[in-house]
Each structure stands twice: as structure tokens, then as C-alpha cells.
Amino acid sequence: MDIIGICRFSLVGRGDWKAWREGEITDEAAAAQEQAARLFTPERMEARLATFEHLTLASLAAQTDPDFAFLVLASELMPEPWRGRLVALCRRHPQVVLRFSPPATAADAQKAAFAEMGLKLGEVLQFRLDDDDALHAGFIDGLRRGTEATWQAERAFAASFRGVMYCVRGGATAGIHHWPVDFFSAGAALRHPSKSVYEFGHFALKDRFKHVILEGHLALVTNNGLNDTSMTPLMMQRRGLVPMTPEAVEAAVARDFPFLDVTGRWLAGMLKSRAEVLAHIGLPALEHETPEAEGPGRWLTDFAEGPRRRGFFVSDESFALQHTRRGDETLYVSFDNLSGPRSPVALRDPWGYAFAEKRGWSNLGVLAHREHWFREPRLFDELTRLRDQGFFARFGRVILSGTSMGGFAACAFAPLVPGAVVIAFSPQSTLDPARAGFDRRYRQGARLDWSGPFADGAEGVRAAGRAYVVFDPRVPEDRRHADRLAGPGVTLLRARHSGHFTAQFLRQTGLLSGLVTDCAAGSLTEAGFYARYRQTRGFRRYLGGLVAQAEKSARPARQAMLARALQGAGRPQLANQLLRAMAAPQ
């Protein structure tokens, strides 16, 4: 018995969508273009690619019986970058066959693909699966064993597992529900000598054919508000949907969906906040958690539910690009620091996302999934492609920013946007041992391939219209990197006693937001920076740096003067720390 699944991935053409079913369509060609415009919006495609990868394809990869095929039917009208990303996703799975079709019904597109593949309808057991749903891990094995006798006896029959875990992420019906239904679209199967499974309503299969109903496992079905099908509370009550307890959800996941990763759980609505994500993977809640930090990433919720539903998400194994469009005046391009790849949250917000959101700026976040200092040729290609397509040119002002590893990238990628504003906090200029052998803090970074483009921030920053480099001159490596970055159009801002974490220090002291805003406007001067920076002298972190500096000096008189000043300022712990250092034998 050959088993093959069929999935419509944004297939343009007459189908079982509501408008087609109710006979509202008269001009097929115009309807196809209108449908394409509706299907291929950035917010919808990002959502579909995410569920397709983390739910649909993940469930196929987890099948205990890998002997099956899966035909993905997509439209020739699908534009880039969605087409390329869909191709890349499908290539990861040996069972998947991707076909792009002109406007057609799903049945006609399937039959054309079957003819090309040398398959005959009567010789396969076909099942359907949508691109935002998932099968249980034993689906193929259970379907094969459960229909084997019927396969021998019947030329036409239908089969279904009974039960759906119905996951709704928003609205009055939000939650995870058990639906004791059979012949739902997720996994409904048919053997027929001449007909496609899409030529029948999935609920009608039970009435039209001899059928087999299999028990004991669920399908996973999601509804996030972008689906064609909606469900009211009254409809759910009448159809027998029952809310599942957290214990029941976890039991179902353990039995049927052990392949779900954190992102899959988030997309299915099983994890609703960052705190829940951290608890799920066994980590404590983050200190100083704020409502702004809720969820694996606010950008995904903004795409689905917020007023700014324009943008895109490019996902790669080692990086991601997240763009939210909030107008054409300003684009804030931010790059991850090392905390990014060390984060347990795959769909986290880009660095500076909330900052750009508060100002109404568009953002492009470059997220790192590895500690690679953005030395990734595929990333070079993606960013270069955006430049060549005029993405950066559409904005009146572009700002590139980041800290440490991200600060390096802000400088190095400046040639992609000549005239941009660069704001780099504690950046490395490069980690190429031939040019920056003085920095031995990041051995993994130094081992990377530093040949090719975008390898030296000191060269890249020359393309900026104006650049601001914020660093602590008492961190030797950061000072030497700043020296390499110095030049025309580059303003060096010395944030003494902030350590390597200058952006964090400025945020904690309340200076970061105004500083970045003024840098973006090109109005910040060195004098203006230092006038503001004097405010930090009363912060413990600044004073701790001052004490650490004094401890290393061999000037007892100044040490004693500082200790008295700390006592007078109500900082006895720091004063005593310095006094103990003075009394310690040299």
C-alpha cells in the first residue's frame, strides 16, 4: 500500500474556500489575482511558513513509518522571497514533493502532479493535511495497519482517526480544546480509482464511502485568526468541543506530538508568554521581567493581531531577519549581541524592537542563532538581495545599531546602506587575528573565516554618513577597537566605568533612549554626551568602576580621599571595599 499526503500551500484557484462554495465568483482570472493578493501578504505568509515548518513538516519528520510521500501544491503566482523559502523548507524532507501550479483546483493540480510522478489514484491511499496542522507521530503506521484489510477488499473507501486537539490562539474561543470528531481535514484519507480527496468535502467522506475510523490518537489543528474557518463559542458547544486541562494537553503531546519544539508549542497556543517558555524548558524566570518582554516575541503577536501587519520573517538555521513596517521615514536595523544565540527563545524580539516600536520606526532585526559574528555567506546574500531590491532605499533614514558582536555588524554592513547612521556600543572592529590579534576574549569568533566581504568594521564604517562609537576606554580591547574605527565622520564617545556593557549601562541610567534618538537625528555632540554622562556618577555601577580603578592605583592619598567621599555620599559598602584594599598587603 502506497500512502501519499497532499497539502495546499496557498494554492491559487477554485477550491473549497467560502467564496467559491457560495458561488460568489464569476470572473475566474480576476478572482485568481485577487486571491493571490490576499494569500501572499507578508503577515499571512510568515504565519503559514512558521506553522508549516514547526507543525506540519515537523509531524512528517517524526513519523515512525517513513514509507510515504507528501505532495505540496503551491501556486506559480507565489512571489519571492516566499517561493524560495518554501523550496528550502521542502528540501529538508525526503518525503516531500513540491509542485508549483498555475491557477487550478486542488484536485486538478494534484492529478497533474500525479501524472508527472507516475502515480495512479486507485493505487494509493491519499490523505489531506493543511499547512497549519499536524499529524500524530504514528499516523502513517496506524493508517497503514488500520486499513490493510479494507485495502484488500475495497477499491474505494475512506479512513480517519477520531479526535482533534483544536488550538485557538485568539478571540473569545482562545484555548486548547478536545473535539471528538472524525473526518476532519487533518488526516482524512481516501482510496478512489479516479477521484482526488479534494473532490469531496472531508466531512462527507464518511457518508459517501465505506469507511474505517481509527481510535486512540489526535490530530493537531490550529486557528490563529487568519484561517478561512472560524468558530464561535456556540458552534463549539454544539459540536462538542471541550476545553482540555493542562494535564490533558501534556498527556496528548507526550503521546502524539513529542516532536513539538518551543516554537511549535508557541504557535499552537500551548505557551503564551516568555515566562511559560522558560518554565517549559526548566529555566527560572528572568530578573526584572516586564510586560514588554512577555511572549517569545512581540513581533509575532503584532503580525497576527496588531495594527502593524506589514513585514516579513526570513528564517535560516544560523540567523533570521525580522522586519516590521511602520512607515517609510526611518528604518532601524539592529544586530544581535551574544545574548541572542544564547537565548532559549527561538522567536524572540530583535535587539531594540521595543525601542523602534515606541518611536514608530520601521525595524529590521538581524537575529543570530549562533555565535558567528554574522560571518555567514547566506546572510550576506539575504542582505545584499534586500539592497538590490531597493529595500533600504525606500526609507528616508536608515540607522544601523548593535552592541559588541552586533556593534561590529552595524559597522561592517554599513556599505550596504551608504550614508546611513551607525550607532555601535562596545563594538569589535573585527576579530580577524591578522588585524585585531590584541583581542583574545572571543576565541570562537577568532576562528571564523574572516575572508570575504563585511569582515572589517573599520573599513565598513567609512560608508556611513555619520557613526557614533560608544565604549569604555578602560576596557583595553574596546579602546583599541575604537582606535581602529576612528576617522572622518566617526564620533568616539567614552563611557567611563561602564565596562564592556555600555548599552546596558546607559539603559539602566536612563540615558540610552535619548542618546540613540539624538544620534539618529545627527544632533549629538561630544560635549552634549559628556554633559549627560555626568548624571551617571551617582550610580553604584559607575562608582564601582571608580573603586576598581582606585584599587589598582598606588596613590594612597587619592584612595583615602575617594573613601571619604563615598562615606559622605552614603556608600559605606564601596568605601569599606576600598579601605580593605588599601589595608591589604601589597
Side-chain angles (χ1 to χ4, degrees), residues 181-356:
V181 64
D182 44 55
F183 286 99
F184 194 82
S185 58
L190 173 70
R191 183 190 189 186
H192 196 283
S194 61
K195 299 286 188 181
S196 160
V197 68
Y198 283 101
E199 292 187 71
F200 307 95
H202 50 87
F203 286 127
L205 293 173
K206 182 177 180 179
D207 299 323
R208 301 194 61 162
F209 300 100
K210 292 185 177 181
H211 58 270
V212 177
I213 297 178
L214 306 169
E215 302 280 358
H217 296 279
L218 303 176
L220 190 153
V221 175
T222 67
N223 189 312
N224 65 359
L226 298 175
N227 305 63
D228 191 60
T229 302
S230 61
M231 197 81 84
T232 67
L234 181 59
M235 291 169 60
M236 297 179 79
Q237 181 180 359
R238 288 177 175 175
R239 295 182 181 185
L241 278 78
V242 178
M244 297 178 68
T245 65
E247 294 77 14
V249 171
E250 288 305 313
V253 170
R255 181 189 65 231
D256 293 335
F257 316 113
F259 52 84
L260 288 177
D261 59 10
V262 170
T263 303
R265 283 175 171 261
W266 170 256
L267 292 169
M270 298 174 190
L271 302 173
K272 301 180 181 65
S273 70
R274 179 177 296 177
E276 291 183 7
V277 170
L278 292 171
H280 172 68
I281 60 178
L283 293 178
L286 299 177
E287 292 184 5
H288 313 299
E289 189 74 284
T290 66
E292 289 186 353
E294 285 299 304
R298 291 179 61 195
W299 68 265
L300 187 58
T301 303
D302 290 346
F303 268 6
E305 302 170 4
R308 308 286 187 178
R309 300 190 179 189
R310 302 173 64 196
F312 58 76
F313 184 76
V314 177
S315 181
D316 186 271
E317 291 181 0
S318 64
F319 67 87
L321 301 177
Q322 190 278 314
H323 170 54
T324 298
R325 185 84 171 274
R326 302 186 183 95
D328 294 340
E329 179 181 346
T330 301
L331 175 68
Y332 185 72
V333 184
S334 64
F335 298 87
D336 267 356
N337 54 50
L338 285 177
S339 66
R342 295 168 183 172
S343 169
V345 183
L347 292 176
R348 65 185 183 274
D349 284 336
W351 190 78
Y353 178 87
F355 176 83

Side-chain angles (χ1 to χ4, degrees), residues 287-475:
E287 292 184 5
H288 313 299
E289 189 74 284
T290 66
E292 289 186 353
E294 285 299 304
R298 291 179 61 195
W299 68 265
L300 187 58
T301 303
D302 290 346
F303 268 6
E305 302 170 4
R308 308 286 187 178
R309 300 190 179 189
R310 302 173 64 196
F312 58 76
F313 184 76
V314 177
S315 181
D316 186 271
E317 291 181 0
S318 64
F319 67 87
L321 301 177
Q322 190 278 314
H323 170 54
T324 298
R325 185 84 171 274
R326 302 186 183 95
D328 294 340
E329 179 181 346
T330 301
L331 175 68
Y332 185 72
V333 184
S334 64
F335 298 87
D336 267 356
N337 54 50
L338 285 177
S339 66
R342 295 168 183 172
S343 169
V345 183
L347 292 176
R348 65 185 183 274
D349 284 336
W351 190 78
Y353 178 87
F355 176 83
E357 181 184 35
K358 288 178 180 178
R359 280 148 189 78
W361 294 349
S362 295
N363 74 275
L364 175 67
V366 185
L367 295 92
H369 298 326
R370 298 173 186 164
E371 298 178 12
H372 51 40
W373 268 260
F374 304 97
R375 302 298 302 148
E376 291 286 327
R378 292 192 302 276
L379 175 61
F380 303 163
D381 293 343
E382 286 289 346
L383 293 176
T384 302
R385 177 184 60 80
L386 289 176
R387 179 201 62 189
D388 294 345
Q389 291 179 348
F391 172 76
F392 299 110
R394 73 179 59 162
F395 298 96
R397 175 178 61 179
V398 178
I399 304 157
L400 290 83
S401 188
T403 181
S404 191
M405 181 177 78
F408 156 75
C411 297
F413 287 104
L416 290 172
V417 196
V421 176
V422 170
I423 310 171
F425 299 91
S426 306
Q428 295 87 53
S429 58
T430 183
L431 288 182
D432 180 0
R435 286 176 279 193
F438 56 83
D439 193 341
R440 300 184 180 182
R441 295 173 296 180
Y442 310 106
R443 294 181 180 179
Q444 179 175 338
R447 289 194 293 264
L448 296 169
D449 181 1
W450 288 92
S451 62
F454 314 116
D456 192 349
E459 296 177 1
V461 78
R462 304 292 172 248
R466 181 173 288 274
Y468 298 90
V469 177
V470 186
F471 68 103
D472 184 344
R474 299 194 180 277
V475 178

Side-chain angles (χ1 to χ4, degrees), residues 38-55:
R38 185 175 69 253
L39 291 178
F40 301 132
T41 61
E43 61 269 25
R44 183 184 183 279
M45 293 303 296
E46 293 294 350
R48 291 290 171 163
L49 285 166
T51 56
F52 186 61
E53 177 182 3
H54 293 280
L55 299 179

Side-chain angles (χ1 to χ4, degrees), residues 537-538 543 546-547 557-576 578-579 582:
R537 294 178 178 179
L543 294 173
L546 200 61
V547 168
R558 288 200 173 186
Q559 290 174 331
M561 184 185 301
L562 177 58
R564 289 193 297 271
L566 291 169
Q567 289 282 7
R571 298 285 184 174
Q573 290 182 335
L574 288 172
N576 292 334
L578 182 54
L579 292 171
M582 293 171 60

